[in-house]
Structure formats: C-alpha cells, structure tokens
Amino acid sequence: AGQLHQLTKVTGAHAYVRRQGPDWTMKVMAVFSPLSISVFLAFFGLTGFCLQRFIGPFAIVPALIAGLVMRKVTTALIRAFVVRSHVSTASKVEEAIGHEAEVCVSIQPGRTGEVTYVLGSKRYNMPAKCVKDESEYKRGSKVLITDIRNGVVMVEPWQELV
C-alpha cells in the first residue's frame, strides 16, 4: 500500500499524490540489475582470488560477504550522488520575478504566449500571460516578469531606466 505525500507547487497550491513503495518486483529488479551483478562479481572474484591461497575452499564465504557488502555500498553511493546532484528549478522560477524577458511566442489578449529569460548563465522558457487582459505583445518585445500563477509568468511592458 502506498503512502500519501503532499506536493507544494510554486503557486502554493497543494496536491496529494499516492507514492508507491517498492514492491517485490522492484526489489528483485534492483538485485538483478547489470550494475548490481557486475559489482558483486567483481568483488566476489577479487576477494576469492586473493584469499584462496590462504584459506583454500573456505574463501567462498568471505568472497560472498565482500561481494554483497560492496554491492550495497556502491548502490548507496550512487543513490547519494543522484540525490545530491538533483537540481530544482522551482527557486529559479521565483527568482525570475522582476527580471526582463523577451517574448518568443506572441502574447494575444487573454491568451497564453511564451517568454525567454536569462538567470545566471542559463536561459529559461516559460508560458506567459499579460497582467492586463487587453494587452498584446509581439514576438521580440521586452517585458517585465511581475508574478507567477499556476506555472505561468505574468508580464507587463519593460521600461528602461534612463
């Protein structure tokens, strides 16, 4: 049975998603993945080869243990790397408020277009609407990002400060 997990979007709206826990098929697939098998065999073989001289046929026991332990350690290291290297764009979207953007798909009155903006050294595209429903922005127009609602940036005309 899955657990309910709360998700909070940029807009602050709440949604609940049923997260499925790992069932037995996922566990079996993880044990028999190519990475898991290759790490186990590498450490099993290396340990068995090194200990065979000293303890003979009994080297299989420490070889099995070394293979299983190193498979678990390698999997944990990869999982930790993936978790730490995950980048969220949610904070980047919030940082866009107050920045200049360029219209790349024209924004018609009451309709959604698209803008491109640069934060740091990265370029982002977002759907966009006019703050005032009667406004219209052609492709190439400069606009100011004023708000974000339901994943859509709200824009006003860009005014250069002299």
Side-chain angles (χ1 to χ4, degrees):
Q3 302 170 338
L4 285 179
H5 290 276
Q6 180 179 2
L7 298 176
T8 304
K9 297 181 181 180
V10 175
T11 60
H14 297 287
Y16 291 91
V17 177
R18 183 166 299 279
R19 180 176 162 205
Q20 298 295 327
D23 58 349
W24 67 272
T25 57
M26 294 301 286
K27 289 179 182 178
V28 169
M29 287 173 55
V31 169
F32 292 108
S33 73
L35 173 70
S36 181
I37 291 171
S38 61
V39 169
F40 171 78
L41 289 176
F43 283 97
F44 172 77
L46 185 62
T47 306
F49 179 75
C50 292
L51 293 179
Q52 182 185 14
R53 271 184 144 174
F54 304 111
I55 57 178
F58 299 108
I60 195 166
V61 173
L64 280 170
I65 293 170
L68 292 172
V69 167
M70 290 312 294
R71 181 189 68 81
K72 195 75 163 171
V73 167
T74 304
T75 305
L77 286 172
I78 291 172
R79 185 174 292 123
F81 174 74
V82 169
V83 167
R84 283 189 174 78
S85 66
H86 175 73
V87 177
S88 173
T89 59
S91 63
K92 296 290 184 193
V93 172
E94 291 173 349
E95 292 173 12
I97 296 174
H99 282 79
E100 173 189 7
E102 183 178 335
V103 177
C104 55
V105 175
S106 65
I107 305 171
Q108 302 297 321
R111 304 189 103 191
T112 303
E114 188 173 324
V115 296
T116 300
Y117 60 95
V118 178
L119 284 179
S121 61
K122 293 187 180 179
R123 170 176 255 150
Y124 298 93
N125 287 0
M126 289 285 293
K129 283 188 171 184
C130 303
V131 172
K132 298 176 184 170
D133 282 338
E134 65 276 356
S135 298
E136 178 179 343
Y137 301 105
K138 302 266 186 230
R139 183 174 187 221
S141 302
K142 301 285 186 208
V143 292
L144 173 70
I145 299 174
T146 59
D147 195 11
I148 300 167
R149 298 182 194 151
N150 299 324
V152 177
V153 295
M154 305 305 289
V155 296
E156 290 181 350
W158 177 259
Q159 297 172 355
E160 293 286 336
L161 296 176
V162 181

